[in-house]
Amino acid sequence: MVLMSIWVGYTEPEPDIWLKSIVNELKYLKTQDIKVKNTNYNLKVYGITGDCPALKKILNFIGHGGYDCCWFCYVHGEHKNGKRQYLYQRSIRLRNTQAYLHASNEAHRTQLRVNGHLGKSILQNLLDVQLPDSIVIDYLHVTLLGHVKTIGAAIYHELKPFQRSTFDSQLKRQRFPHFFNRKVRPFTEFSNIKSTELRNLLFYCLLPNLEAILPLEKLAHLALYVCSIRLLHEQVLLGDETGIIADQLFSKFYEDHEQHYNGLQNYVLHLHVHYSKMYKNHGALANIGCFGQEDLIGNVSSNHHGTRYHGELITFTT
Ligand SMILES: [Zn+2]
């Protein structure tokens, strides 16, 4: 992994200022042949990924609490009980490449908000796959640290005290095969939970440990979500139908969401609607999460100790 630029500061960066020189350098590199052992290679820029605040910045979009904030479709949020909600819709109208480009150019020209666009993205002329197809949702932030954490906390808070202690002690005693890097934490330590622990919790622990605790309807509803993400996480388990079946399971989960959770239909839940297309275009969730990038950022920040020579420091640590 090559680290090309890093922003260290207390305020959010302005991508046009921060990334201008590195984007121009990449555009230049794309015009050159890169020769390795008598073979010429060309640089292609495939896509962009990150958490929602980072993506909205680099895509020059409104934030994830806005009314038209989805990068892929025209879902219009609703203000309900003091929260922005993106309620289930039977059909969604997708943004196509021409409409996406037109709206961003219009926003740039008029300096006004157009369907969620605030202007052009600095990546517009750099990416080889057109926007919005080149946007890769990061399931680490959207699913694990996003919706799994939210519904996990909601379920836990609805349990009676003795059910909570039973559930926590079951999680503490949970054993995994030796090649699992992390165990799961009890919910009493939920604020410090890591994304890999949430993944193990979602795939292996939630359903069996909640079987005797949750009402059957709620457990079945949760199973729709677990099975949907499990299918999308791996290579094709059910042939060409894998993404479609996962989407059908998730759609049912989304449709009945309000029956089991109160006011949790937020933007990260809505983004799951676009997972099946992403699975078809970019592959399984296991291959596209930001685990590696997060590790690298963690490594850089833990080695940061007040120097002004960040370039040398980063080169050394990576
Ligand atoms: Zn959408």
Side-chain angles (χ1 to χ4, degrees):
M1 201 182 302
V2 182
L3 183 61
M4 289 186 277
S5 186
I6 191 164
W7 176 268
V8 181
Y10 295 103
T11 55
E12 282 193 342
E14 281 302 325
D16 282 348
I17 300 167
W18 167 36
L19 297 173
K20 194 176 174 182
S21 63
I22 193 71
V23 166
N24 286 338
E25 225 169 293
L26 286 170
K27 280 181 186 167
Y28 170 73
L29 271 177
K30 281 178 69 175
T31 64
Q32 305 297 307
D33 285 336
I34 301 164
K35 206 168 182 179
V36 181
K37 291 184 182 170
N38 296 326
T39 308
N40 282 336
Y41 292 92
N42 291 111
L43 179 69
K44 298 282 179 200
V45 183
Y46 178 77
I48 174 73
T49 190
D51 61 9
C52 291
L55 281 175
K56 73 111 184 165
K57 267 278 168 196
I58 197 141
L59 296 169
N60 214 352
F61 236 82
I62 57 165
H64 55 277
Y67 281 109
D68 303 295
C69 64
C70 185
W71 314 299
F72 303 98
C73 74
Y74 293 100
V75 68
H76 192 73
E78 283 179 33
H79 203 66
K80 229 178 150 189
N81 301 328
K83 291 176 178 174
R84 188 79 74 245
Q85 297 287 282
Y86 302 85
L87 305 180
Y88 171 76
Q89 294 178 2
R90 206 162 284 278
S91 63
I92 48 169
R93 197 160 63 90
L94 294 172
R95 296 175 192 261
N96 62 35
T97 299
Q98 290 79 17
Y100 189 100
L101 204 63
H102 178 72
S104 63
N105 288 339
E106 273 300 293
H108 177 76
R109 189 178 64 78
T110 57
Q111 295 292 299
L112 295 169
R113 204 173 96 174
V114 180
N115 290 336
H117 291 266
L118 297 174
K120 288 185 198 174
S121 166
I122 192 168
L123 304 174
Q124 196 165 296
N125 298 319
L126 177 70
L127 291 162
D128 289 291
V129 178
Q130 295 291 311
L131 289 166
D133 291 333
S134 47
I135 304 167
V136 182
I137 306 167
D138 173 33
Y139 103 102
L140 182 155
H141 287 101
V142 168
T143 299
L144 300 178
L145 294 171
H147 203 60
V148 172
K149 211 169 172 183
T150 306
I151 57 170
I155 290 170
Y156 189 74
H157 282 112
E158 276 179 21
L159 298 180
K160 295 185 174 87
F162 78 93
Q163 289 174 320
R164 287 184 195 172
S165 62
T166 309
F167 185 40
D168 277 332
S169 65
Q170 282 173 349
L171 291 179
K172 264 188 204 168
R173 291 200 310 269
Q174 178 77 46
R175 289 286 171 267
F176 288 106
H178 65 89
F179 50 85
F180 273 56
N181 293 326
R182 282 189 189 276
K183 295 181 176 178
V184 284
R185 289 172 198 241
F187 270 66
T188 42
E189 297 169 23
F190 208 49
S191 54
N192 299 319
I193 200 160
K194 300 275 187 297
S195 48
T196 41
E197 293 164 344
L198 281 163
R199 185 178 57 195
N200 293 346
L201 185 74
L202 178 72
F203 290 159
Y204 309 108
C205 302
L206 271 186
L207 292 177
N209 285 304
L210 287 171
E211 196 184 355
I213 299 174
L214 280 190
L216 189 60
E217 282 287 313
K218 188 153 184 161
L219 189 77
H221 181 253
L222 180 64
L224 291 169
Y225 184 60
V226 175
C227 294
S228 164
I229 302 300
R230 193 75 185 86
L231 283 175
L232 296 171
H233 189 261
E234 299 292 329
Q235 299 305 323
V236 283
L237 289 173
L238 303 171
D240 294 343
E241 301 283 290
T242 306
I244 299 165
I245 294 169
D247 190 50
Q248 287 167 347
L249 293 173
F250 177 74
S251 290
K252 193 64 196 151
F253 172 77
Y254 198 176
E255 190 177 356
D256 296 342
H257 204 273
E258 206 61 30
Q259 292 175 29
H260 300 282
Y261 305 97
N262 190 14
L264 297 180
Q265 296 189 62
N266 50 18
Y267 181 49
V268 294
L269 175 67
H270 167 80
L271 277 175
H272 288 71
V273 167
H274 303 291
Y275 271 13
S276 63
K277 191 179 178 194
M278 209 177 66
Y279 183 77
K280 192 173 157 219
N281 289 347
H282 308 298
L285 297 179
N287 302 327
I288 53 179
C290 280
F291 288 94
Q293 289 90 331
E294 288 287 315
D295 271 355
L296 178 61
I297 294 170
N299 190 270
V300 170
S301 56
S302 62
N303 281 291
H304 168 253
H305 43 68
T307 179
R308 287 181 294 131
Y309 301 102
H310 290 295
E312 287 81 348
L313 191 69
I314 289 162
T315 312
F316 177 71
T317 54
T318 56

